[in-house]
Amino acid sequence: MCVDLTLFPLDTIKTRLQSQQGFTKAGGFRGIYAGVPSAAIGSFPNAAAFFVTYESTKSMLGAHGALSAPHMAPVTHMLGASLGEVVACLIRVPTEVVKQRTQASLSSNTYQVLLATLREEGVRGLYRGYKSTVLREIPFSLVQFPLWEYLKTQWSWRQGHTLYSWQAAVCGAFAGGIAAFVTTPLDVAKTRIMLAKAGTSTASGNIPLVLLDVWKTRGLTGLFSGSIPRVTSISLGGFIFLGAYEKVRRRK
């Protein structure tokens, strides 16, 4: 929650850069904390849902069978992270829809956006973009968490003892930054789908179609719009969040 709230302005800038209306029309640098109540409410249960699922899956798969072998650890981490994202997105997507629509519309606050979404689209409207979010988060986690675990293992092996929390945090920042950059086009598609008006072709959630439209109108730059604030935010967030997570986990 501390990470999400502290780095929220970067998330707002990223959303406005990726929006179809463009950065300036979406609000520019004004109202940089628009949508923050939604992020605050969803942050805690979202992270809890992910890590409970991630750690439980790792423990079950690594306990016995073919996946318990040391060389199969990356596969276990990938499966655990993927399942964790599917579960966490059940909480993340509704808060993300409300948050992003508020970020891109300064004339409405979080409560007004929530009511408008429910009135116009019902509960299904809150889950618009679920598929695109999962399809963004799974590749992200397939890169971030195995890379994070690998970097920790290699660094620990080289220095001959378990990593300090700050070292695990550095690994988290590096892994998060790489994962954030390579999945930026999927993040652009997810943002466009969530912000699109109900009934439009973009709102239907066809990811290849959305990416093709971005490519035609804005080229490669459009596909990677918002990549700088996204990489910065997730790298800093990975440093704080995964470092703190590692330290607390060792105390149990």
Side-chain angles (χ1 to χ4, degrees), residues 226-248:
S227 59
I228 293 175
R230 175 170 163 79
V231 169
T232 304
S233 176
I234 291 177
S235 294
L236 291 172
F239 181 86
I240 300 167
F241 185 78
L242 294 176
Y245 174 74
E246 192 76 6
K247 189 169 186 67
V248 172

Side-chain angles (χ1 to χ4, degrees), residues 191-202:
T191 299
R192 291 289 183 95
I193 290 167
M194 286 185 172
L195 295 180
K197 290 183 178 180
T200 60
S201 58
T202 302

Side-chain angles (χ1 to χ4, degrees), residues 197-233:
K197 290 183 178 180
T200 60
S201 58
T202 302
S204 67
N206 189 319
I207 298 171
L209 200 66
V210 174
L211 290 175
L212 182 61
D213 180 59
V214 174
W215 170 262
K216 285 180 178 178
T217 55
R218 298 179 63 186
L220 191 63
T221 306
L223 291 175
F224 283 90
S225 58
S227 59
I228 293 175
R230 175 170 163 79
V231 169
T232 304
S233 176

Side-chain angles (χ1 to χ4, degrees), residues 8-177:
F8 192 82
L10 287 173
D11 185 69
T12 301
I13 292 169
K14 182 215 72 171
T15 297
R16 292 173 180 175
L17 284 168
Q18 294 177 347
S19 69
Q20 198 157 5
Q21 64 205 86
F23 180 71
T24 305
K25 288 184 179 179
F29 291 103
R30 292 173 293 125
I32 212 76
Y33 275 95
V36 76
S38 180
I41 291 168
S43 182
F44 184 88
N46 167 45
F50 174 83
F51 275 101
V52 166
T53 309
Y54 176 63
E55 293 293 348
S56 300
T57 304
K58 276 204 310 179
S59 298
M60 286 189 291
L61 294 178
H64 48 75
L67 293 177
S68 60
H71 68 277
M72 294 299 289
V75 177
T76 303
H77 298 151
M78 287 179 181
L79 291 173
S82 298
L83 189 57
E85 291 297 355
V86 171
V87 174
C89 280
L90 293 171
I91 299 168
R92 181 180 305 147
V93 171
T95 59
E96 188 80 0
V97 167
V98 174
K99 181 199 73 175
Q100 290 207 307
R101 291 181 180 181
T102 309
Q103 287 173 325
S105 176
L106 289 177
S107 60
S108 303
N109 59 36
T110 298
Y111 182 64
Q112 290 170 332
V113 169
L114 174 61
L115 289 182
T117 302
L118 290 172
R119 185 173 58 251
E120 295 169 15
E121 302 176 67
V123 176
R124 287 187 63 182
L126 292 176
Y127 279 93
R128 194 210 290 175
Y130 177 82
K131 184 171 67 174
S132 61
T133 305
V134 170
L135 289 176
R136 177 199 69 173
E137 296 295 353
I138 288 179
F140 178 86
S141 292
L142 289 180
V143 175
Q144 184 189 34
F145 284 92
L147 182 57
W148 181 49
E149 302 280 5
Y150 173 78
L151 291 172
K152 288 193 298 177
T153 301
Q154 289 299 308
W155 199 348
S156 177
W157 176 74
R158 286 177 181 275
Q159 68 181 13
H161 61 79
T162 306
L163 296 187
Y164 298 111
S165 298
W166 70 265
Q167 292 174 313
V170 170
C171 294
F174 187 73

